Amino acid sequence: MDFLTKAMRPIAEMFSAMSVTARITAGLLIAVIIVGLTFLATRTTSEPEEYLLSGHPFSNDELAKMEAAFAKANLSGYEVVGNRVLTPRGQKAAYVAALVDGDALPPNPATFMDEATSSANPFESKQQREAKIKHAREKQLSLVVSQMEGIGTATVTYDEQDKGGFPRHVEKTAVAAVWSESGSGLTEKQIRSIRDYVAGSVAGLSRENVTVIDQTMSLSYSGNGEGGFFDLADDPYAARKRRYEDEWRQKILQMLAMVPGVVVAVNVELDPELIHDRASVEFDPKKTAAVAVKENRRTENSTGPAPSGRPGAVPNGVTANTSAAVTQVEASQTESEESGSEQVNSVSRSELRGSKAAYVPTVVKASIRVPQSYFARVWREANPAAPGAEPSPPTVTQLQDIETKVKGSIEQAVVALLLEQEAGADPYTGVTVTTYQDLATPAPETPTMVAQTTSWLGANWETLGMVMLGFMSLLMLRGVARSAHAADSTASEPLAPLPARTVAAAEEEPDEEESAARTLAGRFRVTGPNLRAELADMVREDPESAAKVLSKWIGEVN
């Protein structure tokens, strides 16, 4: 406290010695300084430097609701950067509170289903409950699609229709109306992502029943394309062609990683057959095998009549009242037997069956371009300059030789990665190596000192101006205080200036006392019209030296 008291005492004395006009002027200058410093502090802290909600991106509809909430809360220090909101430093809580009061917080996809299930009524019908859940699901799908990269706003709806029949068949369809953020329409990747997400979120919904409508370009992408394809991006031939070309291109680039600036392009042709079955049967006539053996066997028995006698009544036993002689005659019998066999033989054979994969690469061609500077670099590496000597540039013949060798080595390396050619075909027909003249890219120009100074002044001129204003105010305040103090001291009797011979005499006797006296005398002489104040200060600082100077001065005057 003593330090503060001692520090404030001269200021209080100086302020009490001022006139009324000087006090008013000093007060106004102090007020200007305080206002300027406050402006600098508030301007520094009110610049937008914090992203709202940790930099969460918002859709156009969400931004419109948020701006309405900020306007209602009288908040205007924010800035919309892209699809994010930049708020002033230290005021993020006020902006979040404004969003809560205005019900403008960005929704969470999970909240839609929570609201639909939490608001269930035991008296509502099954159809009403299903309609609420369906509406919540559509809002959830719309929000997720709108949050995809490059999508501004999206609306997704789906429906189902009972086709009847046995078993029961339900057909589901969906439509996604999308507005792109850039205004250039949707890309194939975005269309595929939207279709996959919607089809995967609704049970029983197939991708071919999802239609994507590009509202920005007024185009529709239906899932039912020609040949069962959805669109060009989903064409299996084109998809596999791109996949094979990318794989071969990556392999070639890895092989030629030592060549800076190399350009590689690959073209792959596929077999257009979707299904290819094959079967082959081979016969060997030298090898046979019994396939079937058949045996036949037959036996026959027959009995003939007995032999006859002479004709007439007596031989045939026709007599009148006479005894007949009965004689037994045996009948004739015949027996026969037949047997046979039949054998069926088959020639030996082998049968092969199989199917070939669809869209198999049949032709692969690669085009490679090498920068012209690479050949000169290879020549310099092979022919280094002598120590202390300047490197000499290669001749045209030397460059041509290096180019021929490099092209040959590249062709050999790339041919080994391509498909194996048929016997007798030239394997190098699928590889083309050319050169191009690489142009040196100029280095970006560094900003000059004048440009940097101008840019800095343009960004900080307000701060610099306020600092200069404060500094000038301090100088003016000091001048006003000194002039007021001098004006109050003019009422006392003025003293004559110290003669010059006093100073000369002091210079001739350079002892310690005279040196101090000379210093005080010089200060006393050059202070101006306020002699009384200066004399009081001199007596206060060194009374003995002041007394000697005054006595000597009075003596010389007399």
Side-chain angles (χ1 to χ4, degrees):
M1 296 297 294
D2 294 338
F3 173 76
L4 293 177
T5 303
K6 293 180 180 180
M8 295 297 296
R9 184 179 300 168
I11 299 176
E13 293 177 356
M14 181 181 64
F15 192 78
S16 61
M18 293 181 181
S19 63
V20 178
T21 305
R23 293 177 182 179
I24 294 175
T25 305
L28 292 176
L29 291 175
I30 293 174
V32 170
I33 294 173
I34 295 175
V35 171
L37 295 177
T38 304
F39 174 76
L40 289 177
T42 55
R43 181 182 180 275
T44 302
T45 58
S46 64
E47 290 183 354
E49 293 184 359
E50 289 183 289
Y51 281 105
L52 187 63
L53 300 181
S54 301
H56 179 77
F58 307 103
S59 63
N60 296 332
D61 293 341
E62 293 173 350
L63 288 174
K65 294 180 181 179
M66 294 169 66
E67 290 182 349
F70 296 155
K72 184 178 180 181
N74 295 325
L75 298 174
S76 59
Y78 67 94
E79 181 181 356
V80 179
V81 180
N83 56 354
R84 297 184 296 175
V85 178
L86 199 61
T87 59
R89 184 185 299 275
Q91 300 185 20
K92 186 166 60 175
Y95 282 85
V96 174
L99 294 180
V100 175
D101 296 338
D103 194 18
L105 281 173
N108 190 342
T111 57
F112 299 116
M113 297 302 297
D114 294 340
E115 294 175 357
T117 54
S118 61
S119 62
N121 187 352
F123 299 101
E124 64 183 4
S125 62
K126 179 181 179 182
Q127 290 77 10
Q128 291 177 338
R129 185 166 55 254
E130 291 178 351
K132 289 172 59 177
I133 295 177
K134 177 177 177 294
H135 182 61
R137 181 74 57 81
E138 291 176 346
K139 292 171 65 177
Q140 183 182 31
L141 295 175
S142 302
L143 179 60
V144 174
V145 172
S146 63
Q147 292 178 348
M148 291 183 178
E149 185 68 25
I151 305 299
T153 309
T155 302
V156 179
T157 58
Y158 69 92
D159 199 1
E160 61 182 27
Q161 183 180 8
D162 189 0
K163 294 294 186 178
F166 184 81
R168 182 182 177 185
H169 175 62
V170 177
E171 183 179 3
K172 296 183 178 181
T173 57
V175 177
V178 182
W179 287 261
S180 63
E181 198 171 45
S182 60
S184 59
L186 300 177
T187 62
E188 295 181 359
K189 183 179 179 181
Q190 290 174 334
I191 296 172
R192 191 183 306 109
S193 300
I194 295 172
R195 182 173 288 133
D196 291 341
Y197 172 72
V198 175
S201 301
V202 180
L205 179 61
S206 59
R207 294 180 72 254
E208 59 267 19
N209 289 337
V210 179
T211 301
V212 180
I213 299 177
D214 188 353
Q215 295 288 90
T216 306
M217 306 299 294
S218 300
L219 297 175
S220 63
Y221 301 90
S222 176
N224 296 322
E226 297 180 358
F229 305 143
F230 308 123
D231 51 37
L232 183 59
D234 296 322
D235 185 356
Y237 184 92
R240 294 201 182 191
K241 178 180 174 64
R242 287 194 303 267
R243 177 68 178 273
Y244 284 123
E245 289 175 349
D246 291 341
E247 289 183 356
W248 259 296
R249 183 175 178 272
Q250 291 298 326
K251 290 180 181 180
I252 296 174
L253 285 175
Q254 292 177 2
M255 180 67 67
L256 303 179
M258 71 289 184
V259 182
V262 65
V263 181
V264 177
V266 179
N267 181 41
V268 178
E269 296 182 6
L270 307 179
D271 188 354
E273 291 185 358
L274 288 175
I275 300 176
H276 182 80
D277 293 332
R278 63 178 182 177
S280 61
V281 179
E282 297 180 357
F283 294 93
D284 189 356
K286 296 181 179 180
K287 297 179 180 180
T288 59
V291 177
V293 178
K294 182 179 181 181
E295 293 185 357
N296 298 324
R297 185 173 182 178
R298 186 178 62 178
T299 303
E300 295 181 357
N301 294 323
S302 62
T303 303
S308 302
R310 60 185 183 84
V314 176
N316 292 304
V318 182
T319 59
N321 299 323
T322 58
S323 59
V326 179
T327 59
Q328 186 176 2
V329 181
E330 295 182 359
S332 61
Q333 296 182 354
T334 304
E335 182 177 351
S336 63
E337 182 177 350
E338 295 180 359
S339 62
S341 63
E342 183 179 354
Q343 181 176 346
V344 179
N345 296 330
S346 177
V347 179
S348 177
R349 65 178 182 176
S350 60
E351 183 174 353
L352 300 176
R353 290 186 177 273
S355 60
K356 188 172 61 175
Y359 300 132
V360 178
T362 57
V363 178
V364 180
K365 294 183 178 181
S367 178
I368 303 169
R369 304 198 68 187
V370 182
Q372 193 71 33
S373 61
Y374 177 71
F375 305 120
R377 182 177 175 182
V378 172
W379 186 89
R380 285 193 299 267
E381 292 291 335
N383 302 275
E390 295 183 358
S392 58
T395 62
V396 177
T397 305
Q398 292 173 342
L399 283 179
Q400 291 178 352
D401 294 340
I402 293 296
E403 181 177 349
T404 303
K405 293 179 181 179
V406 171
K407 286 184 177 181
S409 62
I410 291 177
E411 289 179 353
Q412 292 179 358
V414 175
V415 164
L417 299 176
L418 303 182
L419 291 178
E420 185 177 356
Q421 301 292 331
E422 298 180 357
D426 187 4
Y428 294 96
T429 56
V431 181
T432 303
V433 181
T434 58
T435 61
Y436 69 93
Q437 183 66 39
D438 49 338
L439 302 177
T441 303
E445 296 182 0
T446 57
T448 61
M449 183 62 67
V450 176
Q452 293 180 356
T453 304
T454 305
S455 177
W456 185 84
L457 290 176
N460 302 278
W461 67 272
E462 295 181 358
T463 304
L464 186 61
M466 293 304 301
V467 171
M468 295 298 295
L469 177 61
F471 182 72
M472 294 300 295
S473 300
L474 290 175
L475 292 180
M476 292 176 63
L477 180 61
R478 180 176 178 272
V480 169
R482 292 179 64 89
S483 61
H485 188 67
D488 292 339
S489 302
T490 55
S492 61
E493 183 181 355
L495 299 178
L498 188 66
R501 57 182 177 176
T502 303
V503 179
E507 292 178 354
E508 294 177 358
E509 300 176 0
D511 55 353
E512 294 182 359
E513 295 181 356
E514 293 297 331
S515 178
R518 185 177 61 182
T519 303
L520 294 174
R523 176 181 174 186
F524 182 71
R525 182 172 58 85
V526 299
T527 50
N530 194 1
L531 301 179
R532 180 180 179 182
E534 294 294 335
L535 181 60
D537 293 338
M538 183 171 60
V539 172
R540 189 184 304 110
E541 293 176 359
D542 195 352
E544 296 180 0
S545 300
K548 291 181 180 180
V549 171
L550 289 174
S551 61
K552 186 179 294 186
W553 176 74
I554 294 172
E556 292 178 356
V557 171
N558 294 332

